[in-house]
Amino acid sequence: MHDFKKPLYSLYSTLYCSGSIWVNDVPLIDWYGDNTKEGGYAGDDTINHLLLQSGKHKVVGKMLPRIGQKTLTEKETMFIDFYLAEADLQLWKRTRHKFHPKVKSPWNGLSENINHPYFEISTEIEVELPFTLDGWQNSVDLTKIKEDELFKEVLSTYYQIHAIMKSHNATKFLECSKEKMILQEQAFYFSNDRKKSFLDGATKLFDQKLEIMPLDPSKLKLEIMGYGKLVRLVHLDGSPALQYKSPDPKNQGNIEFDTKLHMRTENQGLTII
């Protein structure tokens, strides 16, 4: 496989459509709403925090029509490249290489003679990591809870997080996100300086005292993912439920918080992961 001490896996994704990229049934990228009116998304996103351990993992690209369209046209495309590098910044550029063949939608576009409300590309990758992370693999199977009951419980947790964000209490928000932070620190081999930089960035964001978007249950839907172990709320257009209003609407969209929850035990209840 490789001889890297700190292997860092990433996906370089390009979406000229609405849609999302999923790793192990967990969304890595969500590209929905007004963002999809024109242009597209292109970026390199690390995935160690979704892999959790060595082995084989499924990657899926979900293509949906742009906002305002009912079907995909021959102009919409999606493709994903797969990269591996040594995480050390001094070695990253020199060691970065493709480790898996690209997957893509038909290069000349989907057939214009067929109405496609949805199209999917997928593959299976194999990775080798120096760790096994305690993520959500062994958490409660949320599909066994009645959906209306789960929605109420998830919404209640989101209201608590929303209140913390509204009060701009960075310390309390970081405390609520501790499980997620520890997971990311381990997955991405954070140094003490990198940990401090992350915390400082969060504090600076909350210090801006941005206005938070309201939570309207009638405009939210429940998404269960991670093979039944994770859950979140999103708007009907697929965008995150928790958002700060943009400080510069002409040049920047809202600041979105993709907040996934799990239930490590039934007694512990839902927590951010």
Side-chain angles (χ1 to χ4, degrees):
M1 296 283 285
H2 62 75
D3 58 358
F4 294 165
K5 292 182 179 179
K6 297 178 180 178
L8 190 64
Y9 291 89
S10 65
L11 306 184
Y12 192 96
S13 311
T14 305
L15 290 74
Y16 287 109
C17 58
S18 292
S20 54
I21 308 295
W22 294 61
V23 179
N24 288 333
D25 196 41
V26 182
L28 172 70
I29 299 161
D30 288 310
W31 188 248
Y32 294 110
D34 290 340
N35 289 329
T36 71
K37 284 182 179 178
E38 57 185 23
Y41 172 92
D44 189 56
D45 296 272
T46 51
I47 60 172
N48 283 24
H49 63 305
L50 301 181
L51 299 173
L52 302 178
Q53 60 190 29
S54 299
K56 295 181 178 180
H57 305 269
K58 189 171 183 179
V59 177
V60 178
K62 301 181 179 183
M63 297 178 65
L64 291 155
R66 292 179 183 272
I67 190 170
Q69 295 179 185
K70 293 184 178 179
T71 61
L72 291 159
T73 74
E74 68 276 11
K75 296 179 181 179
E76 274 75 65
T77 58
M78 175 186 285
F79 44 96
I80 309 170
D81 283 301
F82 302 82
Y83 286 93
L84 167 63
E86 179 64 66
D88 190 307
L89 288 177
Q90 295 181 336
L91 299 173
W92 180 85
K93 189 173 182 179
R94 178 159 55 86
T95 59
R96 189 170 187 256
H97 67 280
K98 293 184 179 180
F99 75 94
H100 186 86
K102 173 188 288 190
V103 292
K104 58 188 179 182
S105 58
W107 188 248
N108 58 349
L110 301 176
S111 172
E112 59 183 320
N113 299 317
I114 302 175
N115 291 327
H116 291 279
Y118 175 78
F119 193 82
E120 186 175 290
I121 60 176
S122 65
T123 190
E124 187 178 69
I125 61 174
E126 187 168 5
V127 307
E128 185 179 11
L129 291 164
F131 52 66
T132 297
L133 301 181
D134 181 20
W136 49 88
Q137 309 100 310
N138 301 312
S139 298
V140 173
D141 184 353
L142 302 173
T143 62
K144 295 181 178 179
I145 302 174
K146 291 182 179 179
E147 188 167 325
D148 59 339
E149 293 178 4
L150 182 61
F151 181 86
K152 290 178 182 178
E153 191 165 352
V154 173
L155 182 61
S156 175
T157 304
Y158 265 65
Y159 275 135
Q160 294 173 39
I161 300 167
H162 186 273
I164 293 169
M165 293 174 64
K166 187 175 182 179
S167 68
H168 305 103
N169 190 331
T171 300
K172 196 166 184 179
F173 180 82
L174 291 170
E175 181 62 30
C176 290
S177 306
K178 191 172 182 179
E179 277 187 274
K180 179 179 180 178
M181 289 168 55
I182 292 173
L183 185 71
Q184 291 182 334
E185 289 168 2
Q186 295 172 328
F188 301 132
Y189 319 104
F190 279 5
S191 64
N192 288 331
D193 286 345
R194 181 68 182 88
K195 292 177 187 178
K196 184 178 183 303
S197 175
F198 180 85
L199 295 174
D200 289 345
T203 300
K204 287 179 181 178
L205 173 60
F206 276 66
D207 284 346
Q208 292 182 55
K209 308 294 184 183
L210 300 174
E211 183 181 352
I212 193 166
M213 300 292 289
L215 283 179
D216 182 349
S218 67
K219 297 180 180 179
L220 299 173
K221 62 181 178 180
L222 190 75
E223 284 191 347
I224 299 174
M225 59 196 69
Y227 306 117
K229 304 299 179 70
L230 293 172
V231 67
R232 68 176 179 178
L233 292 178
V234 295
H235 291 116
L236 299 182
D237 66 2
S239 61
L242 295 171
Q243 301 185 24
Y244 276 131
K245 285 188 177 180
S246 172
D248 183 12
K250 290 184 178 180
N251 300 304
Q252 178 185 348
N254 287 347
I255 298 171
E256 301 176 340
F257 290 71
D258 180 23
T259 306
K260 304 178 187 72
L261 308 175
H262 78 138
M263 191 180 292
R264 197 168 289 281
T265 67
E266 291 183 7
N267 293 332
Q268 186 174 347
L270 292 165
T271 56
I272 298 174
I273 185 68

